[in-house]
Amino acid sequence: MIAAGAAKAIGLLTSLVSVPLTYRYLGAERYGIWMVLISIIAAMSFADLGIGNGLMNAVSEAYGKDDRRLAREHVTSALVLMLCIAAFLTVVGAFGYPFLPWLRVFNVKSQAVAAEGARAFLVLYASFVINIPLGVITRAQAGLQKGYASQIVSACGSILSLGGMLLVILLHASLAWLVFASVFAGILATLFNGWILFREHPWLLPSRHAYRGSSANKILKLGLMFFVLQCAYTLAFTSDNIVIAQILGATAVAVYAVPQKLFSFVSMVVSLAINPLWPAYGEAIARGDVAWVRRVFFGSLWLTLAVTVPVCTLLALAGPWILRVAVGKSLHAPMSLLVVLALWGVVSTVSTAFSMLLNGAGVLKVQTMIAVVVSLSNLALSIYLTRRLGVVGVCLGSIVTQLLIMLPVSLVLIRNLFRRLENTKTEASLGEAILLA
């Protein structure tokens, strides 16, 4: 646990250091383009059709039942599905790339700047496609509750990425090379993670004979629910930079993205701490350990609030000074933006704590329908408020839709979940008593 915590700290620190380095090197417009590119790729994260999340739940369930053969079938079947998706995306990217209107995508006037952004997108897209089948590794580790191993290796990858970016800056290379330096080490880290995973768990190694249509069908069906859920969350939470770029321009993206990076570290720390609870909830529910699920859920909720409220408040107050030291006086973030981002930091992490329990318990249908409503409402409200209020509006839209729709519905779903689990436990206890009698 200490090593995993140190790994998380290293990853966050390297990410924090990279923000002022890249902003100062690229300038507001080119940094804004980079943030738009990241948002576009993040918006495509649903391209695995939710198979990664479906695999994590399936492996967690098989592991809870101590069924190694079934776990291997799930991993092999998921890998085949993801390789097919990666091949399809490669063909689509090769044919579609030349026809994209890059000047309009980035909302810039310079053809040279747009061309540089296009080349950077090509590098980022290639890494995205490669990471789709590699996602089997991290999801299988998470299903086995071995996520700490991937965090340690990823921390080493983060250090290597930072070194690569420093080299690119010293050589005054293009944005495309900067993107390459930021993503290539991550791919190497994931491959090394795979070597560790399959060395420690050779029974999990994919095999041609382990593929099962039934496993693929189960993962795909489960994954499609996550797919819709991912689409909804992606539309709601990764479109901010794209909305700002289309309405206010690429330079305005930097005004929002740089302070948003500052507050995102709080969410990242909390998420790294509670994300492993997703498969843990699934395994505990499979065992019927309702008391553990209830205790850990409320503990994670209180821990989330205890961390995010004071830290986000402090960042909002000290934000102007931190940004001035980090990126200089060339970027001015209004205090209203910092306050709104602080509030969003608290709301988003609470929402994540709710989602971990609902996802681990497989409560997907209602959650998915509500998420679609929330995402569409969020996008429409964010566009409206951005036109009226500027960069503050895009974050306000997310806060309003979460507080008025998503969080109240999640509370009802969680209450019903605990009632159902308690009833199931009571029925099982009565059945055992009758058998003993």
Side-chain angles (χ1 to χ4, degrees), residues 141-206:
Q141 281 181 318
L144 296 174
Q145 300 185 50
K146 302 284 186 180
Y148 59 86
S150 64
Q151 291 164 8
I152 294 171
V153 177
S154 294
C156 298
S158 298
I159 296 173
L160 188 59
S161 290
L162 181 61
M165 287 189 284
L166 284 171
L167 180 61
V168 169
I169 292 172
L170 289 174
L171 295 175
H172 300 285
S174 66
L175 176 60
W177 279 107
L178 192 65
V179 171
F180 177 81
S182 70
V183 299
F184 182 68
I187 294 174
L188 292 179
T190 304
L191 289 170
F192 187 66
N193 253 330
W195 178 77
I196 293 174
L197 173 66
F198 297 124
R199 188 190 66 171
E200 293 181 352
H201 307 280
W203 46 269
L204 206 60
L205 187 66

Side-chain angles (χ1 to χ4, degrees), residues 66-74 203 210 212:
D66 199 26
D67 193 335
R68 293 185 172 186
R69 180 190 58 80
L70 185 60
R72 186 182 195 183
E73 291 176 2
H74 289 331
W203 46 269
R212 294 290 183 274

Side-chain angles (χ1 to χ4, degrees), residues 43-61:
M44 296 168 59
S45 62
F46 58 80
D48 72 344
L49 303 182
I51 292 170
N53 289 330
L55 172 65
M56 183 168 66
N57 272 27
V59 169
S60 175
E61 181 183 350

